[in-house]
Amino acid sequence: MTEQTTHVDESAAPGLDAALDALARAGRVIVALDFDGTLAPFADEPSQVGALPGSWAAVLTLHRAKDTEVVLVSGRPLGSLAAVSHAPQDMALVGSHGVEWRVDGHDEAALTDDEVARVARIGAALDEVGARYPGVVIEHKPAGHGVHTRRVSAEVAAQANADASRAAHEADAGVLERGGKDIVEFAVRHVTKGDAIVRLRELHGADAVFFAGDDVTDEDGFRVLGDGDVGVKVGPGETRAGFRIADPAALTDVLKQLARLRATR
């Protein structure tokens, strides 16, 4: 697929209006959205985040629109994503970067017994690291674990992450390590949000995809977008997305515009 170019203007997204107009005319469209930092601003307590009301209203409008499939694609575990998003039961959710699926009302999380054992070993090793760093939070997920450092200084975060990396790789040589905003994750399943978007496109026979995300892990999603798709990077940082906007509040306007266009096509 053709990679989209990167725009660096965070206050505006040149050409985005035209791209949304074209997307609105496509046959079947997938609207894939990251949650934290995209639909919802970040919070120190992950369980207390919530989607911006205007964005969520637009998401629900898109969910009801003809030939439009809304999917929340997150690094959160599926249960956590369902809880903080309050998504309708018939809205598709993809958790743990593509390991867990709730599509068409059916849950899917197919870890092997070996993978479950590996997750447990890595988690035990990371818990020992977390105990040495007050303020560092170890989040246990079905397919891995996250080391959250939002509450500590940059210096402490760097040391904690280094110790966590060493401990995780000693516990499991095949662990997948990936960084994000104030988090380093260690997983046993080598799947990405890009893999999830490719699978979603095939499952739904989509003619085009809209994907918005803010973090390093969302770059895997932008990487698989092609001609006719729309990728929107939320916030700063290098990106493969075709367009950039400043923050989750700016995404509200984008989603409202897309919802209006898809609902009246």
Side-chain angles (χ1 to χ4, degrees):
M1 292 186 176
T2 303
E3 291 183 359
Q4 295 176 307
T5 57
T6 299
H7 296 281
V8 297
D9 182 0
E10 294 180 25
S11 62
L16 181 54
D17 286 348
L20 294 177
D21 284 342
L23 193 71
R25 294 192 296 271
R28 186 158 187 82
V29 171
I30 289 173
V31 178
L33 301 163
D34 176 47
F35 192 77
D36 296 275
T38 301
L39 286 175
F42 283 108
D44 287 340
E45 176 50 59
S47 65
Q48 299 302 312
V49 304
L52 293 176
S55 289
W56 194 244
V59 166
L60 293 177
T61 298
L62 285 163
H63 180 55
R64 294 187 295 265
K66 181 181 178 182
D67 294 327
T68 306
E69 184 76 19
V70 174
V71 188
L72 304 187
V73 184
S74 174
R76 282 179 178 266
L78 192 63
S80 173
L81 178 59
V84 298
S85 68
H86 303 288
Q89 186 61 37
D90 62 343
M91 182 179 289
L93 305 180
V94 176
S96 300
H97 300 286
V99 174
E100 299 180 284
W101 288 65
R102 190 187 84 182
V103 178
D104 296 330
H106 301 289
D107 292 347
E108 176 184 331
L111 289 186
T112 66
D113 290 343
D114 178 64
E115 287 174 325
V116 171
R118 291 172 61 200
V119 170
R121 288 199 307 271
I122 296 165
L126 292 176
D127 280 340
E128 293 182 5
V129 174
R132 300 198 296 269
Y133 292 94
V136 171
V137 177
I138 309 300
E139 179 188 10
H140 299 295
K141 303 183 179 185
H145 312 277
V147 179
H148 292 268
T149 55
R150 179 174 294 276
R151 298 176 178 176
V152 299
S153 68
E155 181 179 359
V156 171
Q159 185 61 55
N161 287 338
D163 286 355
S165 178
R166 182 165 48 251
H169 285 277
E170 287 176 354
D172 187 299
V175 68
L176 171 65
E177 179 178 343
R178 53 192 166 203
K181 292 181 178 178
D182 299 313
I183 185 174
V184 178
E185 295 185 277
F186 301 92
V188 300
R189 183 72 67 84
H190 288 244
V191 294
T192 70
K193 292 184 180 181
D195 297 325
I197 288 174
V198 169
R199 182 181 173 190
L200 287 164
R201 189 195 298 270
E202 294 172 351
L203 282 174
H204 296 288
D207 299 297
V209 174
F210 175 95
F211 177 55
D214 72 298
D215 212 338
V216 175
T217 57
D218 296 309
E219 293 304 312
D220 295 314
F222 296 135
R223 188 176 292 112
V224 302
L225 300 183
D227 294 337
D229 298 331
V230 177
V232 178
K233 167 76 170 183
V234 180
E238 294 184 4
T239 187
R240 293 174 179 265
F243 305 97
R244 185 194 303 277
I245 57 176
D247 51 32
L251 182 64
T252 297
D253 292 334
V254 174
L255 292 176
K256 284 182 176 179
Q257 180 178 354
L258 181 58
R260 182 174 62 254
L261 291 168
R262 288 297 291 179
T264 58
R265 60 190 288 271

